Amino acid sequence: MKLLEWRVRRVPVGKISLILGILAFVLFATWKIWALTGYWSLEPAFDSIRNFFLNLRDKFGGPGELPMGLYNTIIITLKLLGILVVLLLIGAYSTLMERKILAFMQDRLGPTRVGPRGILQPIADGLKLLQKECIVPLGADRNFHYLAPVICFIPALMGAVLIPFGKGLIPVDLNVGILYFFALGAFGELGIFLAAWGSNNKYSAIAGFRAVAQLVSYEIPMAFCIMSIVLLSGSLKIGDIINAQIEGATAYGGLGFPIWFIVPQFLGFLIFFLSAVAETNRTPFDLAEAESELVSGFHTEYTGLRWAFFFLAEYVNIFIGASIITAMYLGGYAGPELPFLGITLSSVVWFCLKVFLIFFIIVWLRGTLPRLRVDQLMMLCWKRLIPIAMANFLLTGIFVFANTVRLTPQLWPVHLENSAYTSIAAIVFILIAMFGLAWFFAKDLLKPIKERDA
Amino acid sequence: MVDDFQATTQFSTVLLFFFGAIGFGVISLFMNQITGGRFPSPSKLSTYECGNDPHADADIPFNFRFAVIAVIFLLFEIELVFFLPWAVSFRNLLFTTGWPAFFEMITFFFILILAFVYVWRKGGLEWDRN
Amino acid sequence: MNNLDLTPYVPWIWFSFFGLFTLVMALGVVFHRKIVYNAVFLALSLVGTGALYITLNADFLGIVQILLYVGGIIVLILFSILLTRGEERGVEYVNRNKQSFWAFSLIMGLSLWIGTQFWKVQWPDANRNLAANHWERYSEIATIKTLPQILNRTVPVEAIGDGLMKPYLLIFELASIVLLVAMVGVVIYMKPEKERGADA
């Protein structure tokens, strides 16, 4: 044990980084060669695995054809490992990207020492964190303290299941689609709460309550925006939502012409973007880890890799949020085919470009805006974003209704029966009454806002 | 062969990702336990309070507003769950039931707005009640 | 050995796994002495329930279960615990009263009764046509005709929307009224005790 520690504490970080860099280059070159031979999709690789097992069977007389379930499991495991590596790289290099962008905005250089232009900095950081001691403070709840980082990491990896990396590259296009992300948010809340309560630190506790209340509140405007999108696309599946934007066909429930949903849903885009920034606890909504008042928030008492897990989860969550925004409002992987790249690869390039744009704007916000207060944060959500999102949803509903009626002659009023007219009249009467009631309340509720703003 | 529409088929992958996340987390944290060593000292093990000795446990007074926000959120979330299936099948419903498919939902929506306005007006959304 | 393909049984294996998981977590809720642990065990138990729904091909229901119960109700429970018992961190609660015998026998009786009901209920046969079912009468979506199809295929979200808008419309609208009443309840709940009597 002592020997191991001695060795670990003298890890030549620079050399290891160099080796890893060379390894990365070799991998890149292999991939390039592989790509140049014309295999864009991963199917040949999967087929070759299957053939490998079949050859084994032929040579040694093994147990017949490989069961389909096992074969699928192997493929899914490969996907899992690939996505895990991609996510780790994204999580690590998002930090570098953020530092570089912030440095650019503040007229600095950012990390430059490790590797050319600091390109190996995240790897050095990771190796450094691996050497750090794991501390559980006195009086802390050991189980929760150990469990929390893992629970925070689970939704980050599970969310990757639905990311549309490119055309035909969605790992699993779930039926429940976008609702799945919301369910994952529940795990995130639980993890943050366990970390905060399990640390026995007052700063962590305050930050934990704030974070959970914030996550919970900002889910509502987000959900209203998602429902507006679902109204336009007519499906919860990510693939269908992107197809509705690319094709615009009425078969998909689209608008009838191809258009990215950011155009009819610009208001929704703004609200969703703000909510996504708040959901990932970023500036200007980073009250949960406000350095100047709460030290480091709910991970104040964490060290080493366990601390890194929170950060990994945060950056992967930003990536996932940016991917959802891209898929919902910016047409996902849609874009013209690029020269020399196949359809699949150019769609990946377009997707990455759009995600990077969103990520850049999020970092830009961090470099520009000051932090909100708790009451301002909550008021922004409950008194501004939610009413606007609700109005947006209502308008979208009316628009889709009117558009569908316009496109289908059998829904025109001249074709309706008498009974339909009576029911419509009754409903309209109820509506007018409700509008009146709502207006009665609205007049009162507009007053305090104006006073507050003045 | 494989029916991609089946929920069980789809979620088998999700399940594998779940176990993958747990496995990755446990393995790397265990690795950190080994490589990080263990050198405890009283001041290192005390909770951080800007260098002072920690003052009692972290049982701070808890703002009541958080609980109220959680309740209101829960009610909204239930309404949203009711909205989603309607939003998905809205067009099909228009073809089969006609205009009521829209107005039935509008009725539901306005009752929600009524509740929201009521809570707002009664001060349920205020952070400080003074 | 040659034909050992467990693929068709995989959902049932997972069903048993999650059922066991849910039960074990529920036992944790009952027997653990720290109240925050109880809440976390409850959360895990509810996640297990959601997973059970998914193994039965009801993915929308399963996701909604996790979304509402873990994301909403557990958060509410945790907040409420901290609100009421903030000063007793890590205290282990020991049940000192003598109700355990009666509680145990009551639960045993209830389980027995529910178990007998399970045997009495005529479960839908795979070959039986459910023409009398109101789903059949009202739903025009072709995918929901008979129970075998419901069990073997995932119910699309569209079908749930159809159900809410056609056969269960009244209940659906009543639900909104119930939620309105609940909102009013929130407003009363958040008032200090002094004002509560005067206004409510």
Side-chain angles (χ1 to χ4, degrees):
Chain A
M1 202 61 184
K2 205 71 186 168
L3 187 70
L4 190 65
E5 274 160 21
W6 184 82
R7 280 195 183 154
V8 166
R9 258 148 221 296
R10 277 156 189 76
V11 168
V13 175
K15 277 180 192 169
I16 289 179
S17 310
L18 196 68
I19 292 167
L20 283 176
I22 292 168
L23 202 69
F25 175 73
V26 170
L27 275 176
F28 179 74
T30 325
W31 171 73
K32 200 71 195 164
I33 292 164
W34 185 37
L36 284 175
T37 48
Y39 289 113
W40 293 114
S41 91
L42 285 177
E43 289 308 313
F46 296 150
D47 281 348
S48 67
I49 292 165
R50 197 165 189 220
N51 285 335
F52 172 72
F53 281 104
L54 288 180
N55 283 340
L56 276 189
R57 195 254 329 249
D58 290 343
K59 269 186 190 160
F60 304 109
E65 169 92 22
L66 197 65
M68 207 57 212
L70 186 58
Y71 172 65
N72 283 332
T73 312
I74 289 170
I75 286 180
I76 295 170
T77 313
L78 280 177
K79 275 189 193 175
L80 167 70
L81 290 177
I83 286 174
L84 188 61
V85 170
V86 168
L87 282 190
L88 288 181
L89 285 178
I90 284 171
Y93 275 89
S94 299
T95 58
L96 180 66
M97 211 143 71
E98 184 179 17
R99 287 167 75 176
K100 281 287 186 186
I101 295 172
L102 280 179
F104 163 70
M105 284 172 182
Q106 296 162 357
D107 209 8
R108 295 185 284 116
L109 284 177
T112 53
R113 291 305 174 90
V114 191
R117 292 174 153 257
I119 200 91
L120 297 176
Q121 183 71 41
I123 294 165
D125 283 345
L127 286 176
K128 182 196 78 175
L129 285 168
L130 192 59
Q131 297 180 53
K132 293 290 177 188
E133 181 182 349
C134 288
I135 303 171
V136 181
L138 278 178
D141 193 311
R142 285 190 84 84
N143 301 327
F144 285 177
H145 202 263
Y146 277 110
L147 208 59
V150 184
I151 290 186
C152 273
F153 182 68
I154 287 171
L157 183 59
M158 280 171 80
V161 165
L162 259 186
I163 295 178
F165 288 104
K167 198 175 170 65
L169 286 181
I170 309 174
V172 189
D173 200 359
L174 292 173
N175 291 326
V176 284
I178 240 159
L179 196 60
Y180 172 73
F181 287 116
F182 276 79
L184 288 184
F187 282 98
E189 286 157 20
L190 199 63
I192 287 175
F193 183 87
L194 293 189
W197 195 83
S199 288
N200 190 25
N201 185 319
K202 298 176 188 71
Y203 297 113
S204 302
I206 296 172
F209 301 148
R210 279 189 188 179
V212 174
Q214 178 183 342
L215 290 182
V216 152
S217 301
Y218 276 85
E219 261 183 24
I220 296 167
M222 226 169 168
F224 272 110
C225 294
I226 284 181
M227 281 193 304
S228 311
I229 292 290
V230 169
L231 267 179
L232 289 177
S233 69
S235 173
L236 288 172
K237 282 187 170 189
I238 298 276
D240 286 356
I241 290 174
I242 295 174
N243 274 337
Q245 295 175 67
I246 294 175
E247 303 179 9
T250 38
Y252 279 107
L255 296 173
F257 48 90
I259 190 168
W260 291 358
F261 285 154
I262 188 173
V263 180
Q265 285 291 317
F266 188 68
L267 212 56
F269 169 73
L270 287 182
I271 294 167
F272 193 91
F273 181 78
L274 284 180
S275 309
V277 174
E279 285 278 308
T280 45
N281 282 327
R282 299 286 300 175
T283 331
F285 306 110
D286 65 338
L287 288 141
E289 42 196 74
E291 293 97 348
S292 47
E293 32 181 310
L294 290 180
V295 189
S296 183
F298 55 86
H299 45 70
T300 302
E301 292 295 345
Y302 279 87
T303 55
L305 267 195
R306 278 189 270 153
W307 177 83
F309 261 55
F310 284 116
F311 261 73
L312 188 66
E314 181 181 327
Y315 280 96
V316 171
N317 278 333
I318 294 171
F319 172 70
I320 291 173
S323 314
I324 304 171
I325 292 173
T326 307
M328 278 173 43
Y329 293 100
L330 300 178
Y333 46 74
E337 196 184 330
L338 298 170
F340 307 118
L341 302 171
I343 293 177
T344 312
L345 204 62
S346 52
S347 71
V348 173
V349 169
W350 280 112
F351 175 74
C352 290
L353 276 180
K354 289 168 188 174
V355 168
F356 178 73
L357 181 73
I358 299 288
F359 182 78
F360 180 79
I361 296 174
I362 291 176
V363 177
W364 191 2
L365 285 182
R366 180 183 166 179
T368 319
L369 293 178
R371 186 179 301 131
L372 297 178
R373 284 201 317 263
V374 182
D375 61 327
Q376 286 172 335
L377 182 86
M378 289 297 168
M379 292 308 99
L380 176 71
C381 176
W382 286 97
K383 292 194 171 175
R384 298 291 152 85
L385 293 188
I386 290 178
I388 298 172
M390 279 160 89
N392 182 44
F393 174 61
L394 187 61
L395 286 178
T396 313
I398 292 172
F399 169 75
V400 171
F401 172 64
N403 201 32
T404 316
V405 168
R406 183 177 66 83
L407 291 173
T408 38
Q410 66 262 34
L411 284 178
W412 290 355
V414 281
H415 296 290
L416 292 180
E417 296 159 16
N418 272 338
S419 59
Y421 277 122
T422 1
S423 67
I424 288 168
I427 290 163
V428 167
F429 177 73
I430 294 168
L431 275 186
I432 291 169
M434 282 182 170
F435 261 118
L437 217 54
W439 181 246
F440 176 75
F441 282 118
K443 269 202 305 189
D444 260 356
L445 73 89
L446 282 177
K447 253 185 277 170
I449 306 178
K450 280 174 185 163
E451 279 167 16
R452 193 188 178 89
D453 286 351
Chain B
M1 226 174 67
V2 181
D3 186 3
D4 279 343
F5 185 70
Q6 285 255 12
T8 42
T9 317
Q10 292 178 342
F11 275 90
S12 60
T13 313
V14 174
L15 195 70
L16 199 75
F17 271 67
F18 179 72
F19 287 123
I22 290 180
F24 176 74
V26 168
I27 287 170
S28 43
L29 293 187
F30 182 68
M31 219 162 75
N32 192 13
Q33 288 282 345
I34 294 172
T35 56
R38 195 156 175 76
F39 311 98
S41 74
S43 58
K44 194 192 274 182
L45 288 182
S46 69
T47 49
Y48 180 79
E49 266 175 39
C50 308
N52 298 325
D53 285 339
H55 178 261
D57 273 339
D59 297 314
I60 47 172
F62 175 80
N63 194 342
F64 179 60
R65 306 299 313 161
F66 286 121
V68 174
I69 288 287
V71 179
I72 301 175
F73 158 78
L74 189 59
L75 296 175
F76 263 89
E77 195 85 338
I78 293 167
E79 311 238 5
L80 291 170
V81 167
F82 276 116
F83 276 133
L84 260 174
W86 170 79
V88 172
S89 61
F90 179 43
R91 266 161 229 269
N92 290 334
L93 280 170
L94 267 184
F95 292 129
T96 51
T97 62
W99 289 28
F102 179 64
F103 288 106
E104 281 158 4
M105 202 61 209
I106 289 289
T107 317
F108 187 90
F109 191 61
F110 269 92
I111 294 173
L112 169 64
I113 289 181
L114 209 65
F116 184 60
V117 168
Y118 178 76
V119 171
W120 189 340
R121 197 181 163 224
K122 286 284 179 183
L125 305 178
E126 303 294 336
W127 194 255
D128 297 314
R129 284 167 44 83
N130 41 357
Chain C
M1 187 67 202
N2 243 4
N3 296 319
L4 190 67
D5 187 5
L6 289 176
T7 315
Y9 304 105
V10 166
W12 294 106
I13 294 169
W14 282 119
F15 183 83
S16 330
F17 173 79
F18 283 118
L20 208 65
F21 176 80
T22 310
L23 280 179
V24 170
M25 291 302 140
L27 286 179
V29 178
V30 178
F31 288 115
H32 207 283
R33 294 273 166 81
K34 290 182 186 166
I35 195 161
V36 179
Y37 274 75
N38 295 143
V40 173
F41 274 123
L42 183 60
L44 293 176
S45 175
L46 291 169
V47 169
T49 318
L52 278 184
Y53 287 140
I54 291 170
T55 53
L56 292 175
N57 260 328
D59 52 355
F60 186 78
L61 191 59
I63 289 292
V64 163
Q65 163 89 11
I66 292 173
L67 178 68
L68 283 185
Y69 280 85
V70 183
I73 288 176
I74 289 297
V75 167
L76 183 60
I77 287 176
L78 285 171
F79 277 0
S80 309
I81 288 171
L82 295 183
L83 197 66
T84 50
R85 300 192 183 275
E87 284 109 57
E88 300 167 75
R89 180 189 182 82
V91 169
E92 297 196 355
Y93 291 90
V94 185
N95 192 2
R96 292 188 196 286
N97 56 28
K98 299 282 185 281
Q99 292 169 352
S100 44
F101 170 74
W102 293 109
F104 184 76
S105 37
L106 191 69
I107 285 174
M108 272 301 150
L110 207 65
S111 322
L112 262 176
W113 182 70
I114 292 173
T116 48
Q117 293 309 306
F118 265 113
W119 291 112
K120 274 186 196 168
V121 167
Q122 193 142 41
W123 293 103
D125 188 17
N127 301 317
R128 202 174 117 214
N129 194 354
L130 295 180
N133 194 316
H134 44 264
W135 271 102
E136 174 70 28
R137 251 185 287 145
Y138 289 103
S139 170
E140 266 121 69
I141 291 225
T143 44
I144 300 176
K145 288 287 186 202
T146 52
L147 199 67
Q149 277 172 331
I150 294 175
L151 280 185
N152 293 328
R153 284 196 79 180
T154 306
V155 180
V157 186
E158 289 92 336
I160 299 171
D162 256 30
L164 284 181
M165 277 291 142
K166 287 170 192 168
Y168 302 113
L169 179 64
L170 184 67
I171 299 165
F172 173 68
E173 297 288 354
L174 282 179
S176 74
I177 303 284
V178 170
L179 288 169
L180 175 66
V181 173
M183 287 282 192
V184 176
V186 172
V187 171
I188 295 166
Y189 160 71
M190 75 191 183
K191 284 190 175 179
E193 297 236 348
K194 287 173 286 180
E195 298 174 29
R196 213 177 275 178
D199 211 77

